[in-house]
Amino acid sequence: MTSSTPVVDTRPAHGQGLQAVLLDMDGTLVDTEGIWWAAETGVFADLGHVLDEVHKAVVVGGPMARSVGHLMEVTGTTVTLAELMVAIDTRFEELIARGGAPLMPGAKRLLTELGAHGVPTALVSASHRRTIDVMLRSLGAENFAFTLAGDEIGRTKPHPDPYLTAAARLGADPAACVVVEDTLTGVASAEAAGCQVVAVPSLVAIPPARGRTVVTSLDQVNVPFLRSLVKRSLNVDLH
């Protein structure tokens, strides 16, 4: 499976309106944040380190290198970053294979609705390609024009590069794209790219802000709602 499949029509809609929806994966579409923490605590426990729950809020939603780097610093482990990332990826996949990863409430319905309305949609994640490919078995690769992994780009979230890259691949104006995220790291990335943001907080609260709408569940998100965010933003910018 590659990031370029399946092939769909990704031409943006004409005029001033919603051109694309860009979706985060972990904690946004799939309930994986707790599984990632279990993988991290398990790997570090094998090395003789007990991770305090306080670090969970620090590492959630961040790029893997940053998250693991933080855990290396607080534990003082001498195992290399590369070795730890492979071990955590492997442990995560083992946990998924054993118990699966449920979709977040409203995720399946939203993906189906976006497809039915012909809205170009991409999955933009800080997770590695191998992890995304595992999760696509639950999410359905057919729901996305393409998927972009954290190890396929030079700078991942919170930098704007992932969302700028995704918008460009869809031929969309970032200002006419809506990003759906669950963490401050992802929100920062999307906002730096100039996208409208729908925040669905998972473990850490996210305050409302200009260009950012906070909801409690994907059940509150549908195509008319997403279109209204872009329309309102463009009207404000024109005045």
Side-chain angles (χ1 to χ4, degrees):
M1 187 178 295
T2 67
S3 61
S4 60
T5 56
V7 177
V8 299
D9 183 359
T10 60
R11 292 172 294 180
H14 295 290
Q16 295 177 350
L18 177 66
Q19 293 182 3
V21 174
L22 311 175
L23 298 153
D24 175 54
M25 184 178 73
D26 294 298
T28 300
L29 291 176
V30 189
D31 191 5
T32 54
E33 300 295 9
I35 302 173
W36 276 116
W37 180 244
E40 290 159 349
T41 56
V43 167
F44 276 88
D46 291 345
L47 298 171
H49 303 288
V50 178
L51 297 179
D52 192 290
E53 281 282 327
V54 70
H55 300 297
K56 187 175 183 178
V58 178
V59 302
V60 64
M64 192 171 187
R66 189 193 73 185
S67 298
V68 177
H70 170 79
L71 297 177
M72 291 173 65
E73 183 177 347
V74 299
T75 59
T77 183
T78 57
V79 179
T80 68
L81 177 66
E83 290 172 323
L84 283 169
M85 289 198 297
V86 169
I88 291 169
D89 270 339
T90 300
R91 183 69 59 89
F92 176 83
E93 291 166 12
E94 290 171 352
L95 293 172
I96 292 294
R98 191 181 310 158
L103 300 188
M104 297 297 286
K108 183 176 181 180
R109 189 268 315 152
L110 177 59
L111 291 173
T112 300
E113 185 176 342
L114 289 168
H117 283 81
V119 178
T121 304
L123 183 69
V124 183
S125 176
S127 291
H128 291 177
R129 166 54 50 194
R130 58 183 281 186
T131 302
I132 290 178
D133 286 346
V134 169
M135 298 312 305
L136 283 174
R137 299 170 194 167
S138 299
L139 286 167
E142 69 279 0
N143 289 308
F144 307 100
F146 63 88
T147 63
L148 183 63
D151 56 347
E152 295 172 338
I153 193 165
R155 298 193 309 173
T156 188
K157 305 171 187 180
H159 298 288
D161 306 37
Y163 287 114
L164 289 174
T165 299
R169 287 184 62 177
L170 290 170
D173 179 356
C177 296
V178 177
V179 170
V180 185
E181 276 278 1
D182 73 304
T183 66
L184 285 167
T185 298
V187 166
S189 174
E191 291 179 344
C195 302
Q196 292 296 302
V197 178
V198 174
V200 193
S202 55
L203 297 177
V204 180
I206 300 175
R210 188 174 187 273
R212 179 196 309 171
T213 303
V214 181
V215 299
T216 59
S217 167
L218 291 179
D219 285 325
Q220 297 172 256
V221 181
N222 55 34
V223 170
F225 170 73
L226 296 170
R227 285 177 173 157
S228 72
L229 296 179
V230 172
K231 182 178 180 180
R232 182 177 64 193
S233 170
L234 293 176
N235 285 340
V236 168
D237 291 342
L238 287 172
H239 292 82

